[in-house]
Amino acid sequence: MQHFEESIYRLIVETSTNLPGDVRQAIRKAREAEDRATRSGISLSTIAENIEMAECNVSPICQDTGMPTFVVHTPVGANQIVMKRQIREAVARATKDGKLRTNSVDSLTGANTGDNLGPGTPVIHFEQWEKDEIDVRLILKGGGCENKNIQYSLPTELEGLGKAGRDLDGIRKCILHAVYQAQGQGCSAGFIGVGIGGDRTTGYELAKQQLFRRVDDTNPIPELRELEEYIMENANKLGIGTMGFGGEVTLLGCKIGVMNRLPASFFVSVAYNCWAYRRQGVLLDAQTGAIKEWLYPQGSEQPMRDEAAASSSAGQEAAAESERREVVLTTPLTEEQVRSLRVGDIVILNGEMHTGRDALHKYLMDHDSPVDLNGAVIYHCGPVMLKEGDSWKVKAAGPTTSIREEPYQGDIIKKFGIRAVIGKGGMGAKTLKALQEHGAVYLNAIGGAAQYYAECFKNVNGVDFLEFGIPEAMWHLQTEGFAAIVTMDAHGNSLHADVERSSFEKLEQFKEPVFK
Ligand SMILES: O=C(O)C[C@H](O)C(=O)O
Ligand code: SF4
């Protein structure tokens, strides 16, 4: 087993940096279905570019490298204790090399262990089988899409869809609702794994197991195959689109599994995975631990650059460009500058911006800021950072889900004079009101595009609150050419509220029974 640890390290690096071929294929199809000139179309092009950049830089596709979850099948009698130790060593090494973000946080103290090891992390499931090889599969599922998982207990009443009973049609309604409630916040377009039955724990496990299926497989159970096809066709009519910008493609894959339940329980558990659907696997020689085979198509077989399609849409894009307003701004921003912005404008930012997420927002509520935030831009981002010599380098830096800061954001904008907040998925009514009263905007960056945005950060000017851990610290970043779309402006407009309203109306069309 002299190669086992190295093989696991390679598996982690491959999973984090090179999106598998079947996932890429689904994203390519989405690009074909979506009008390239729209906000969703442009976002899909950025996503495609980001996938290529991650492969080329051997750096994380998304800065949130998720909860490393391994499923290992071993021949009878193989030493699982040694394997577990070596998996942990490989995880720590990949973290030190910037291939995984420091993602293991003490739930009581907030302290980050710094190496992705701690109670409950990583997750390792062992199974024995009667084959001669070791099969190791890994999924890196980020926190933002994990937060959009949902579990239904049937029978129930669903907003927009009415009664969902204990039958295939009730399950159908739950799945459509699951896609609706995620909106763009789990970085749509997404994939879902569904578990029917089990208890609350095994139901979710079954849902997650579905995410290990290949995107292009077919369900062996005819009813479930039919339901998967129905969901793929109809969930895409909800009009949520990439990042919740509205559009034709909301769901990229749906896989459904079933297990027995207790007479009293009927759970439908849904695991939502963002487009950055990072899972891979290897088959290992049980004697040496060397890699014999990769278990999913590797990314390199499916390049994302698509010259032919790009040139055929060039005319379309040029036409849209004349309608789209692009505004270049340098920090600090003035009230006048931000009040002139409208939903739909693209802002290109230069100058210094500051990262800030959960820990910082909580802190700023009753403390001063270490830097002057008048006219400042706050970026909801927990980057992957590496110290090279004496200086820090940004290795991956996409946005995080903004809605978590909803209880604080409005107050903080007013207290410190912030003029722009960048994040993803949008914010709520309280923030929208503060934007209007104070004169500020919300800019939506493309979730998961961590390599694309990392390139915009030319220097790390400084850092505060490193004690919060790398993702939660306040990084002061010198920025050039950071592009994001105004989705909430200082005039009370919110694209997120609009898309939520229109997708709800669309959801209601699925109220009538389909599977009898
Ligand atoms: O933690 C992050 O950086 C992002 C998170 O996965 C999210 O989607 O909000
Ligand atoms: S930021 Fe988006 S792409 Fe990244 S892990 Fe979170 S949900 Fe996935």
Side-chain angles (χ1 to χ4, degrees):
M1 287 286 279
Q2 66 274 31
H3 300 298
F4 184 78
E5 190 201 319
E6 179 63 22
S7 297
I8 298 298
Y9 178 81
R10 281 180 62 197
L11 172 64
I12 297 169
V13 174
E14 178 74 10
T15 311
S16 178
T17 66
N18 197 358
L19 207 63
D22 57 333
V23 176
R24 290 179 179 222
Q25 183 72 34
I27 296 173
R28 283 173 66 119
K29 270 209 225 141
R31 289 186 78 198
E32 282 156 26
E34 198 69 80
D35 179 349
R36 291 202 179 199
T38 58
R39 282 185 284 264
S40 280
I42 297 164
S43 306
L44 282 170
S45 300
T46 305
I47 285 170
E49 194 178 332
N50 185 71
I51 293 167
E52 289 274 351
M53 288 171 82
E55 180 186 350
C56 172
N57 301 343
V58 199
S59 272
I61 297 161
C62 174
Q63 76 290 338
D64 183 359
T65 53
M67 175 67 87
T69 303
F70 295 86
V71 178
V72 188
H73 283 81
T74 68
V76 178
N79 190 334
Q80 296 181 357
I81 294 168
V82 170
M83 278 184 242
K84 190 168 174 186
R85 190 167 60 232
Q86 295 195 357
I87 289 174
R88 290 170 63 85
E89 278 162 14
V91 164
R93 185 174 142 212
T95 311
K96 195 158 157 273
D97 293 350
K99 311 299 179 187
L100 294 177
R101 187 174 70 185
T102 53
N103 256 1
S104 180
V105 178
D106 184 306
S107 294
L108 297 181
T109 65
N112 193 313
T113 64
D115 57 7
N116 268 313
L117 305 180
T121 45
V123 177
I124 310 172
H125 299 290
F126 281 105
E127 270 310 319
Q128 289 195 7
W129 67 359
E130 289 185 323
K131 295 187 188 171
D132 295 332
E133 290 101 358
I134 303 169
D135 178 308
V136 187
R137 294 179 196 232
L138 168 63
I139 187 164
L140 300 173
K141 185 173 184 294
C145 59
E146 184 70 10
N147 291 348
K148 298 320 291 183
N149 289 4
I150 188 163
Q151 190 168 59
Y152 302 90
S153 173
L154 296 181
T156 188
E157 194 74 34
L158 295 170
E159 47 171 351
L161 292 166
K163 196 177 294 347
R166 291 183 157 193
D167 51 27
L168 210 54
D169 205 63
I171 297 164
R172 172 190 73 90
K173 287 187 180 180
C174 293
I175 302 174
L176 286 172
H177 185 268
V179 177
Y180 160 77
Q181 61 86 40
Q183 291 289 304
Q185 288 172 359
C187 290
S188 59
F191 297 82
I192 50 172
V194 181
I196 304 170
D199 60 20
R200 285 207 184 270
T201 307
T202 58
Y204 261 137
E205 255 166 27
L206 180 64
K208 233 171 220 185
Q209 271 168 28
Q210 301 309 304
L211 295 174
F212 281 108
R213 283 171 54 191
R214 266 181 70 145
V215 178
D216 51 9
D217 74 357
T218 44
N219 200 311
I221 302 171
E223 297 97 300
L224 297 186
R225 181 164 67 230
E226 208 187 322
L227 185 56
E228 287 175 0
E229 284 165 6
Y230 169 92
I231 294 291
M232 284 311 293
E233 191 186 328
N234 292 290
N236 282 313
K237 293 181 187 157
L238 291 172
I240 295 165
T242 302
M243 298 315 299
F245 289 162
E248 303 301 314
V249 188
T250 301
L251 194 63
L252 298 169
C254 171
K255 303 289 166 192
I256 309 173
V258 64
M259 58 168 43
N260 285 6
R261 60 181 174 82
L262 292 168
S265 312
F266 197 128
F267 296 112
V268 177
S269 312
V270 182
Y272 189 96
N273 206 108
C274 48
W275 66 260
Y277 178 16
R278 290 153 288 172
R279 59 106 177 83
Q280 190 45 278
V282 280
L283 200 66
L284 305 179
D285 181 297
Q287 257 62 55
T288 65
I291 297 176
K292 289 176 80 172
E293 204 183 295
W294 290 87
L295 296 170
Y296 299 91
Q298 283 184 278
S300 334
E301 296 157 15
Q302 195 67 246
M304 293 304 289
R305 287 226 167 76
D306 185 346
E307 301 305 336
S311 63
S312 72
S313 72
Q316 248 182 7
E317 283 195 22
E321 224 152 276
S322 58
E323 293 156 26
R324 224 183 300 137
R325 213 162 63 105
E326 222 175 74
V327 185
V328 181
L329 295 174
T330 302
T331 60
L333 311 181
T334 66
E335 178 173 359
E336 194 190 349
Q337 281 172 329
V338 297
R339 286 214 186 264
S340 74
L341 297 170
R342 297 271 168 183
V343 163
D345 289 346
I346 293 179
V347 174
I348 315 281
L349 280 166
N350 299 317
E352 192 179 52
M353 65 167 78
H354 315 277
T355 66
R357 49 181 290 163
D358 311 74
L360 183 78
H361 279 77
K362 183 166 181 285
Y363 177 90
L364 290 181
M365 284 300 278
D366 38 35
H367 294 85
D368 255 350
S369 165
V371 294
D372 182 8
L373 292 177
N374 236 312
V377 176
I378 291 285
Y379 183 25
H380 294 160
C381 169
V384 176
M385 304 292 290
L386 269 193
K387 202 157 193 183
E388 291 174 0
D390 278 341
S391 57
W392 286 99
K393 291 278 172 318
V394 182
K395 301 307 271 186
T400 189
T401 318
S402 301
I403 196 71
R404 296 194 309 268
E405 314 318 333
E406 183 64 10
Y408 315 115
Q409 196 69 76
D411 296 333
I412 285 172
I413 285 173
K414 290 182 186 168
K415 179 172 170 190
F416 294 100
I418 291 160
R419 293 285 173 208
V421 170
I422 311 175
K424 57 128 172 146
M427 304 195 70
K430 193 174 165 209
T431 302
L432 189 61
K433 191 153 168 270
L435 298 179
Q436 197 166 8
E437 283 170 4
H438 170 71
V441 285
Y442 176 82
L443 304 170
N444 203 116
I446 296 158
Q451 291 306 308
Y452 177 81
Y453 290 118
E455 285 243 312
C456 303
F457 299 123
K458 303 300 179 193
N459 191 49
V460 180
N461 295 344
V463 58
D464 282 291
F465 307 117
L466 203 47
E467 63 274 23
F468 292 168
I470 286 175
E472 299 281 349
M474 186 184 202
W475 297 94
H476 311 300
L477 303 174
Q478 196 59 36
T479 310
E480 241 177 69
F482 188 107
I485 304 176
V486 179
T487 53
M488 295 166 70
D489 63 23
H491 308 280
N493 304 307
S494 165
L495 176 71
H496 308 283
D498 294 349
V499 170
E500 189 166 340
R501 207 174 308 117
S502 71
S503 60
F504 184 76
E505 281 163 19
K506 290 175 178 134
L507 182 70
E508 287 179 310
Q509 69 182 306
F510 301 113
K511 201 169 183 162
E512 292 312 313
V514 174
F515 297 100
K516 299 204 170 120

